[in-house]
Amino acid sequence: MNLIELEKQIEKNKVIEKFKDGVVDGLIHGIRDTTQSHHYYKEGYDFGITLYCRQIDEEEKRGW
């Protein structure tokens, strides 16, 4: 598969969109959308939660 075909598949399967939705739900809302079953949504959600936890740790280190 060449890069153009790969890009088409990523767009068709909404990989980036689902990942971003997961990150927002994890980082901003803190609640997983149980209707989302897309693998990349779940990966994004986990990443968002990780970012949130790191942010809290940094704030505690700085005394904010």
Side-chain angles (χ1 to χ4, degrees), residues 2 6 11 14 18 31 33 38-39 44 48 51 56 62-64:
N2 63 36
L6 177 60
E11 187 175 325
K14 300 183 182 204
K18 293 298 183 180
I31 300 171
D33 182 349
H38 199 283
H39 171 75
L51 290 176
I56 296 299
R62 295 170 191 230
W64 294 348

Side-chain angles (χ1 to χ4, degrees), residues 37-49:
S37 62
H38 199 283
H39 171 75
Y40 289 102
Y41 172 85
K42 293 175 183 177
E43 290 291 320
Y45 179 81
D46 291 344
F47 183 63
I49 291 293

Side-chain angles (χ1 to χ4, degrees), residues 4-64:
I4 294 171
E5 285 299 315
L6 177 60
E7 189 68 32
K8 286 179 183 177
Q9 287 298 316
I10 289 171
E11 187 175 325
K12 175 184 168 192
N13 292 308
K14 300 183 182 204
V15 171
I16 304 298
E17 179 182 329
K18 293 298 183 180
F19 183 81
K20 287 179 180 179
D21 289 346
V23 171
V24 169
D25 285 351
L27 181 60
I28 305 299
H29 304 292
I31 300 171
R32 178 177 265 164
D33 182 349
T34 57
T35 64
Q36 295 287 342
S37 62
H38 199 283
H39 171 75
Y40 289 102
Y41 172 85
K42 293 175 183 177
E43 290 291 320
Y45 179 81
D46 291 344
F47 183 63
I49 291 293
T50 299
L51 290 176
Y52 177 78
C53 291
R54 287 183 182 175
Q55 179 181 6
I56 296 299
D57 289 346
E58 284 298 315
E59 288 175 0
E60 287 176 353
K61 284 180 188 175
R62 295 170 191 230
W64 294 348

